[in-house]
Amino acid sequence: MWINWSHVRKIYDGKRPQKSDSSLERNVALLDFSATIRSGITVVLGPKGSGKTSLLKITATMLVPDDGRVTYEMSDGKQFTWSQKNVASYDTAEIELLRERIGYVPPLQKIDHHITCEEALYYLAQLRRIPHLRKRCAEIIAKFGLAGYRRSLLRELPIHVLKRHLMAQSLLASPEVWILDDPTYGLDELGRHLLSDTLSEYQQKKRMVIIATKDMELAEIADDLILIESGACRRIGKKKYLTASVSEGTVAAWYQAMQVFSHLHHPVI
């Protein structure tokens, strides 16, 4: 299994004033981002506004890149490509087949939906064509400690329960690729325990996990690290080799060391 990002670019339509003068610049999320990762856990690090969330949304097929492409090779050897051109030419069934193989946990803090936790899981299970969906939903509800919230509206769930619900729904179809954006924010002790167990399970099964996080303790579980700055990939490599370059040998120390000269790597737009 592998994922390749090739010259991925994403620019939002919004404008923002530059600090230096009164002219306006476009909001660049990703600028010629290129990298390749394989099975295992890849942790994406970078300062706020560096493009982490946009990268994950594009990889999860929630956003279409303005330019470039994302290529996926799954465990059965089947390949998919996500790009402007392919989205226009693919039929809906092909896109849904790709999405069925990806689980995505967004960095949400609130969902303003008048639907219960259980109904939301049933609905998604139907969309993903999961066999024996009621049994599968019951299993995932029990596993993530949601039994007491089955009939609670999503908009009423406490943040720590909502985060567990988002993890649960992302795993309904047992995806080959699990993508998590800031997963530990708002999690309670049970949620952290469940997250840790599921990540270990994915490592053992040689599946693929992509995590964007500021939690350096969580980042220690990584097999590989990506450092993204100003929408471009600054560094990528095995965690054990990258962290060996700092005396402490930790992800936090390596990331801190990389920030010392980060201003020298800002690309010119």
Side-chain angles (χ1 to χ4, degrees):
M1 288 181 66
W2 51 263
I3 294 177
N4 171 260
W5 298 278
S6 180
H7 306 291
V8 175
R9 182 181 178 93
K10 185 65 183 178
I11 302 176
Y12 295 102
D13 293 333
K15 303 282 189 175
R16 64 175 181 230
Q18 292 181 340
K19 294 181 180 179
S20 57
D21 53 49
S22 59
S23 63
L24 295 174
E25 65 176 2
R26 300 182 75 181
N27 286 321
V28 178
L30 295 175
L31 181 65
D32 197 37
F33 185 94
S34 295
T36 300
I37 61 172
R38 299 189 180 275
S39 299
I41 298 177
T42 298
V43 170
V44 182
L45 303 173
K48 183 178 180 181
S50 59
K52 299 188 299 294
T53 291
S54 295
L55 177 66
L56 265 59
K57 282 185 176 180
I58 287 173
T59 310
T61 72
M62 298 294 105
L63 283 177
V64 180
D66 296 328
D67 199 8
R69 65 184 182 274
V70 187
T71 306
Y72 313 75
E73 180 170 289
M74 300 302 184
S75 57
D76 59 0
K78 184 172 178 58
Q79 289 192 9
F80 299 88
T81 300
W82 183 247
S83 66
Q84 286 277 5
K85 178 180 178 181
N86 287 79
V87 168
S89 60
Y90 274 178
D91 59 26
T92 304
E94 188 75 5
I95 294 174
E96 286 306 311
L97 184 59
L98 170 59
R99 286 176 172 162
E100 286 172 8
R101 299 184 178 216
I102 298 173
Y104 174 57
V105 181
L108 291 180
Q109 300 180 30
K110 189 74 175 177
I111 295 182
D112 193 22
H113 290 340
H114 291 271
I115 184 173
T116 68
C117 177
E118 187 174 55
E119 288 170 342
L121 291 172
Y122 283 165
Y123 176 70
L124 184 61
Q126 288 175 328
L127 285 180
R128 294 288 183 261
R129 297 173 294 183
I130 296 173
H132 313 294
L133 67 88
R134 290 190 176 275
K135 179 182 177 182
R136 177 57 180 159
C137 287
E139 290 172 349
I140 208 83
I141 285 172
K143 178 177 179 178
F144 283 86
L146 298 172
Y149 299 93
R150 289 169 50 246
R151 303 191 186 283
S152 298
L153 298 178
L154 292 183
R155 65 194 304 268
E156 297 174 349
L157 293 179
I159 181 64
H160 65 280
V161 178
L162 177 59
K163 294 289 283 193
R164 278 193 266 133
H165 168 80
L166 292 172
M167 283 198 295
Q169 72 171 21
S170 73
L171 294 167
L172 265 175
S174 299
E176 295 177 59
V177 181
W178 197 27
I179 300 173
L180 305 98
D181 196 343
D182 201 12
T184 56
Y185 176 81
L187 268 189
D188 56 3
E189 185 177 350
L190 173 59
R192 284 179 174 270
H193 177 74
L194 291 167
L195 174 62
S196 178
D197 282 353
T198 308
L199 289 174
S200 296
E201 181 182 319
Y202 264 67
Q203 271 185 319
Q204 293 169 8
K205 291 182 177 179
K206 304 297 183 183
R207 292 190 175 183
M208 187 173 291
V209 181
I210 307 171
I211 306 172
T213 186
K214 300 182 288 290
D215 186 335
M216 293 299 160
E217 183 178 345
L218 174 64
E220 289 294 340
I221 199 173
D223 297 302
D224 299 277
L225 297 173
I226 289 178
L227 176 59
I228 181 172
E229 291 184 351
S230 301
C233 180
R234 180 179 169 194
R235 292 292 300 275
I236 180 171
K238 291 290 182 184
K239 184 200 75 172
K240 62 182 179 181
Y241 298 136
L242 294 176
T243 56
S245 64
V246 293
S247 58
E248 296 90 335
T250 64
V251 174
W254 175 79
Y255 180 67
Q256 186 63 36
M258 292 299 293
Q259 301 312 297
V260 175
F261 300 106
S262 63
H263 65 285
L264 301 177
H265 296 267
H266 290 175
V268 177
I269 299 172

